[in-house]
Amino acid sequence: MSDIDAMDASILRILQQNGRMSNADLAARVGLSASACSRRLDILEKSGVISGYHARLSNKVLDYKMVVIVHISLSGQFAKTLQEFEVAVKRCPNVLVCYLMSGEYDYILRVAAKDLEDYERIHRDWLSALPHVVKINSSFALREIIDRPNVGL
């Protein structure tokens, strides 16, 4: 991040709001020529600062109205155990986020479900079947307060 100047930060802030903006429009907004803006974007992409462009879907509109925070404990923290769990959890389509944690639980997941019955299916067919799982603790989100896709610049 030390190589990002004020112009790069401006470009990134605008792209976080509208990643589909044309290069010409972006250049005009930040006060650069289209070619200079394109060069900066290329550098930001190649350096990994911009990791991709994505469509942000509405889980609610797609009928996934329930968000479940799932804490998982494994039988151990051996490299093979962690690797096997991580390979398997990546196959579960309802797992939106998975973090390896320090502390009481080994992993925390954010899971999307259509309703309680759907979460029961996900729990039974996917989560309980993950390798090395010895404990699953599920908490149901009542209301989303904030969900930032990016950090502030």
Side-chain angles (χ1 to χ4, degrees):
M1 283 296 289
S2 61
D3 292 341
I4 293 179
D5 62 15
M7 183 60 68
D8 289 338
S10 180
I11 290 169
L12 294 170
R13 272 192 297 276
I14 292 167
L15 285 176
Q16 285 183 108
Q17 298 300 315
N18 181 1
R20 293 185 60 163
M21 179 177 288
S22 73
N23 183 62
D25 289 343
L26 179 60
R29 293 257 326 258
V30 298
L32 288 173
S33 69
S35 61
C37 186
S38 182
R39 281 192 301 276
R40 283 180 176 263
L41 275 177
D42 190 50
I43 291 167
L44 290 167
E45 290 167 357
K46 286 180 179 171
S47 69
V49 173
I50 296 176
S51 61
Y53 299 89
H54 311 280
R56 186 173 174 134
L57 307 180
S58 169
N59 288 334
K60 188 174 182 179
V61 171
L62 293 172
D63 205 28
Y64 288 92
K65 297 180 176 113
M66 181 175 276
V67 174
V68 186
I69 306 302
V70 181
H71 298 82
I72 293 184
S73 295
L74 302 183
S75 59
Q77 287 242 341
F78 306 104
K80 184 178 186 224
T81 302
L82 298 176
Q83 179 186 17
E84 289 174 358
F85 174 85
E86 290 172 12
V87 166
V89 77
K90 288 176 184 176
R91 289 189 209 115
C92 181
N94 295 82
V95 174
L96 303 175
V97 178
C98 177
Y99 296 105
L100 173 63
M101 302 298 294
S102 64
E104 183 178 354
Y105 295 97
D106 296 310
Y107 290 91
I108 294 181
L109 286 60
R110 186 171 47 140
V111 176
K114 293 178 184 255
D115 52 30
L116 194 55
E117 186 176 298
D118 188 40
Y119 179 68
E120 180 183 5
R121 176 195 59 79
I122 295 163
H123 188 284
R124 179 188 62 242
D125 297 347
W126 288 96
L127 303 178
S128 296
L130 291 169
H132 312 291
V133 171
V134 294
K135 183 178 180 184
I136 299 173
N137 182 313
S138 304
S139 299
F140 299 90
L142 300 177
R143 180 168 42 111
E144 182 179 283
I145 308 304
I146 190 166
D147 181 16
R148 287 189 181 107
N150 298 293
V151 296
L153 292 175

